[in-house]
Amino acid sequence: GAGVSQSPSNKVTEKGKDVELRCDPISGHTALYWYRQRLGQGLEFLIYFQGNSAPDKSGLPSDRFSAERTGESVSTLTIQRTQQEDSAVYLCASSRRQGRLEQYFGPGTRLTVT
Amino acid sequence: AQSVTQLDSQVPVFEEAPVELRCNYSSSVSVYLFWYVQYPNQGLQLLLKYLSGSTLVKGINGFEAEFNKSQTSFHLRKPSVHISDTAEYFCAVSETGGSNYKLTFGKGTLLTVNP
């Protein structure tokens, strides 16, 4: 079946602009995660959605970052007033509630802020 | 909070040689442990995981890892590598409690298999 998809695959933006990144999880997966991977670093947890429960936003680095998810489908990660330090690969993952320890990752969106 | 250290950023090996990718973790609570692989231009894929039970865990593509609680390690091994194993490998940890969905990753080890 189809895996996790993300769009765009690459995004170049100017400092100060807003960007929106999209994630389509695997159908039937109730849990969705966003991670950030800066150059030479490991993945950093950003946010977790589980069904209709309140999301765990504890990893969002600043109030310029926000994410939404409608039900158990698409999620968008929005970064407002982008800064150069926001340049990274943003990865989305999804999992079944029961097997939520196995996360399935998308290919990521490479964001470059100039 | 947990942290993961992957001691080698790059490991070059020849085809059919054995390989060990090292991972050490730090945590004040019990943990689950994972190895993920990222092939070029692809998303991360789960190789194997340790949740409980036998400390020797077997995964896909002939890889295995051993959980050593006293040494807080979870090293990944393969007895004979192929060119197709060239990829970046990430070790990850999560707590066993209610926030077990929150993975903490190491910086990755780039395995390059040469002919």
Side-chain angles (χ1 to χ4, degrees):
Chain A
V4 177
S5 61
Q6 293 185 245
S7 60
S9 54
N10 280 285
K11 175 73 176 177
V12 180
T13 189
E14 291 180 354
K15 178 181 171 182
K17 301 272 188 181
D18 297 353
V19 295
E20 204 170 83
L21 312 180
R22 177 187 169 108
C23 172
D24 283 86
I26 293 172
S27 177
H29 280 193
T30 59
L32 187 146
Y33 317 76
W34 283 98
Y35 291 86
R36 175 172 73 175
Q37 185 179 21
R38 292 172 167 174
L39 189 64
Q41 304 295 315
L43 281 72
E44 304 169 70
F45 168 84
L46 296 178
I47 189 168
Y48 161 70
F49 294 92
Q50 173 56 60
N52 294 318
S53 302
D56 178 349
K57 304 180 180 181
S58 60
L60 294 178
S62 78
D63 58 8
R64 296 186 296 104
F65 287 72
S66 62
E68 292 185 352
R69 187 183 187 196
T70 306
E72 295 180 355
S73 61
V74 171
S75 175
T76 55
L77 177 69
T78 302
I79 308 173
Q80 295 178 310
R81 304 181 303 282
T82 51
Q83 304 294 312
Q84 287 187 329
E85 62 262 28
D86 298 334
S87 295
V89 177
Y90 290 83
L91 291 152
C92 175
S94 70
S95 69
R96 293 187 300 268
R97 181 184 177 90
Q98 199 163 2
R100 65 181 183 176
L101 290 176
E102 181 156 358
Q103 298 179 22
Y104 295 79
F105 283 80
T109 294
R110 183 176 297 279
L111 175 66
T112 304
V113 182
T114 61
Chain B
Q2 297 86 39
S3 66
V4 176
T5 301
Q6 291 184 244
L7 295 163
D8 305 299
S9 59
Q10 296 186 54
V11 173
V13 294
F14 288 109
E15 195 174 15
E16 298 183 6
V19 70
E20 178 180 82
L21 306 183
R22 295 179 292 169
C23 172
N24 286 86
Y25 70 92
S26 172
S27 178
S28 57
V29 298
S30 298
V31 295
Y32 297 133
L33 293 151
F34 308 81
W35 275 98
Y36 279 83
V37 60
Q38 187 172 30
Y39 298 105
N41 301 314
Q42 294 186 30
L44 274 75
Q45 179 183 356
L46 182 67
L47 262 183
L48 49 78
K49 61 187 176 187
Y50 171 79
L51 303 182
S52 66
S54 172
T55 57
L56 183 63
V57 180
K58 293 189 184 297
I60 61 172
N61 300 338
F63 283 93
E64 63 180 33
E66 185 152 24
F67 171 50
N68 187 319
K69 188 174 181 180
S70 63
Q71 308 226 348
T72 60
S73 68
F74 190 55
H75 300 333
L76 181 70
R77 301 186 184 100
K78 186 169 182 179
S80 176
V81 293
H82 303 291
I83 300 284
S84 59
D85 292 323
T86 294
E88 188 141 30
Y89 292 79
F90 293 91
C91 182
V93 63
S94 73
E95 64 171 63
T96 60
S99 295
N100 58 21
Y101 53 82
K102 198 180 296 188
L103 296 175
T104 299
F105 285 82
K107 293 183 180 182
T109 297
L110 179 61
L111 174 66
T112 303
V113 181
N114 299 300

